[in-house]
């Protein structure tokens, strides 16, 4: 089992992976989060008319900030010098959906999947925080890795993404 789970040693103890022997290279990851709400709340988000203000702008900044803090939030994540992070937000008011897309990049020895996914998770939580005065039943849905590139395992892309 420890051969497949890289964060587990031979005795089953959690450990940080040693990436010291890996060669630095360009790494990129994209992730997505979806937040479901009523069409009325989504229209307020889209119009910038929520009680706390610009939901999407604040969520974008929160996601970017979170990506930079990933190693402090995820115990076995390596601290990475990010070369780029961005979060894009879109609203489908008719479906009551806010979609958040995050991209993270680095030139280092390990990937940035956790940074992209952390950006999405915190951006989604921020959307909830910004609209909870309008609706408490907002649902934070799927947070998924869409694609990654770089590293020993090479490129990967979600088939349904």
């Amino acid at each position: 089992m420890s051969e497949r789970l890289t964060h587990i040693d031979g005795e089953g103890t959690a450990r940080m992976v040693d990436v010291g022997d890996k060669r630095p290279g360009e790494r990129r990851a994209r992730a997505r989060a979806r937040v479901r709400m009523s069409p009325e709340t989504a229209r307020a988000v889209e119009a910038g008319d929520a009680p706390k203000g610009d939901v999407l702008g604040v969520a974008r900044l929160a996601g970017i900030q979170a990506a930079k803090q990933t190693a402090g939030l995820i115990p076995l994540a390596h601290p990475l010098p990010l070369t780029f992070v961005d979060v894009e937000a879109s609203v489908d008011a008719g479906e009551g959906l806010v979609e958040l897309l995050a991209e993270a990049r680095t030139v280092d020895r390990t990937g940035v999947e956790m940074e992209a996914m952390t950006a999405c998770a915190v951006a989604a939580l921020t959307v909830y925080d910004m609209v909870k005065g309008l609706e408490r039943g907002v649902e934070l849905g799927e947070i998924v890795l869409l694609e990654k590139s770089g590293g020993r395992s090479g490129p990967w892309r979600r088939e349904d993404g």
Side-chain angles (χ1 to χ4, degrees), residues 86-98:
D86 194 24
V87 177
E88 296 178 7
S90 62
V91 179
D92 182 335
E95 292 293 318
L97 178 68
V98 172

Side-chain angles (χ1 to χ4, degrees), residues 134-149:
L134 294 174
E135 179 181 349
R136 296 279 180 182
V138 172
E139 179 182 316
L140 290 101
E142 71 179 28
I143 299 171
V144 296
L145 180 66
L146 296 175
E147 64 182 291
K148 61 82 96 194
S149 62

Side-chain angles (χ1 to χ4, degrees), residues 73-119:
L73 298 168
I74 309 297
L76 301 177
H78 292 82
L80 295 176
L82 297 173
T83 59
F84 177 80
V85 178
D86 194 24
V87 177
E88 296 178 7
S90 62
V91 179
D92 182 335
E95 292 293 318
L97 178 68
V98 172
E99 187 169 85
L100 303 149
L101 296 170
E103 179 177 346
R105 291 185 225 149
T106 191
V107 177
D108 210 321
R109 291 176 159 86
T110 190
V112 288
E113 297 95 287
M114 293 309 301
E115 286 72 12
M117 293 179 72
T118 298

Side-chain angles (χ1 to χ4, degrees), residues 4-15:
R4 291 180 296 164
L5 299 174
T6 59
H7 285 76
I8 305 292
D9 68 15
E11 286 78 47
T13 304
R15 66 175 176 93

Side-chain angles (χ1 to χ4, degrees), residues 3 17 29 31 41 47 50 62 66 71 75 103 109 120 126 142 144 151 156 160:
E3 292 171 13
V17 174
T41 300
E103 179 177 346
R109 291 176 159 86
C120 282
T126 301
E142 71 179 28
V144 296
W156 178 88
D160 64 349

